[in-house]
Amino acid sequence: MTPGYAFHADGRYFVLAERHKSRETLGVYDVLDSYKLIRHFPLPTVSLSSLSLSPTGDHLAVWEGPFEYKLYVLNLTGSTIATFSPDRDPGFGIRCIAWHPNGLFLAVGGWDDKDVAANHPLTLETFTTRDIRWAPDGKGFVLLDRDQYCCAFEVEEDDLAVSEIRALA
């Protein structure tokens, strides 16, 4: 589980999940100007679990607590870019996420021991995802489960979408 804050890749900005008047909000602070508040906006979440800033620092993923499987991708002005929730029974909430190195894709693992998605459809019925790590070149990712087993995947991209995900033997 990651904390409710993150630093921009260049270290200039600090983003912090906050609660004001019973509403979840996000503050963006300028580190070089004594953490001066630059922007403050409401989050679409009801019960924020955590957040993760993309490697490029352009997008922010925020997700609900364990009772709702919903993830939002926002830009740093507060506009919602995308929302992800499984079509079928969503099960429990999101356990972990990992940004692709280029910041265009997300891998998402749930608490229900079933859902892992990389820019959407990948389901592992018997794998309990505890952590997700992308390869530095973005051509694959590794899942680690609670029993310390590893499962590696190779990813093929075509422009702005993951075209295929293959398990490696």
Side-chain angles (χ1 to χ4, degrees):
M1 189 80 56
T2 57
Y5 63 87
F7 284 92
H8 192 274
D10 66 6
R12 174 76 192 254
Y13 301 105
F14 174 71
V15 295
L16 177 66
E18 303 170 346
R19 185 174 279 277
H20 292 281
K21 297 181 182 178
S22 299
R23 299 277 329 235
E24 294 181 341
T25 61
L26 188 84
V28 180
Y29 298 87
D30 187 341
V31 172
L32 301 179
D33 193 8
S34 302
Y35 287 87
K36 180 180 177 183
L37 179 66
I38 299 172
R39 178 167 286 127
H40 203 249
F41 55 86
L43 291 172
T45 55
V46 175
S47 177
L48 179 75
S49 177
S50 196
L51 61 86
S52 178
L53 198 56
S54 70
T56 60
D58 298 335
H59 299 97
L60 180 75
V62 296
W63 57 97
E64 296 286 357
F67 299 113
E68 187 171 359
Y69 200 127
K70 192 173 262 189
L71 175 126
Y72 304 91
V73 178
L74 313 164
N75 61 24
L76 292 184
T77 63
S79 299
T80 302
I81 306 293
T83 302
F84 173 72
S85 186
D87 292 333
R88 60 179 179 63
D89 176 27
F92 299 113
I94 294 170
R95 178 179 220 151
C96 55
I97 72 147
W99 284 96
H100 185 278
N102 69 12
L104 296 178
F105 311 117
L106 277 170
V108 181
W111 284 101
D112 59 2
D113 299 348
K114 294 179 183 174
D115 294 312
V116 175
N119 196 39
H120 298 313
L122 172 64
T123 302
L124 300 174
E125 294 295 336
T126 59
F127 202 82
T128 308
T129 303
R130 190 180 79 204
D131 198 11
I132 303 169
R133 300 286 176 185
W134 283 94
D137 64 4
K139 295 185 182 202
F141 60 94
V142 175
L143 306 176
L144 178 68
D145 83 352
R146 66 177 171 217
D147 297 321
Q148 304 298 320
Y149 291 109
C150 238
C151 191
F153 293 87
E154 185 177 53
V155 176
E156 284 186 23
E157 301 171 32
D158 58 13
D159 295 330
L160 298 176
V162 172
S163 60
E164 186 176 349
I165 300 173
R166 290 186 302 275
L168 301 177

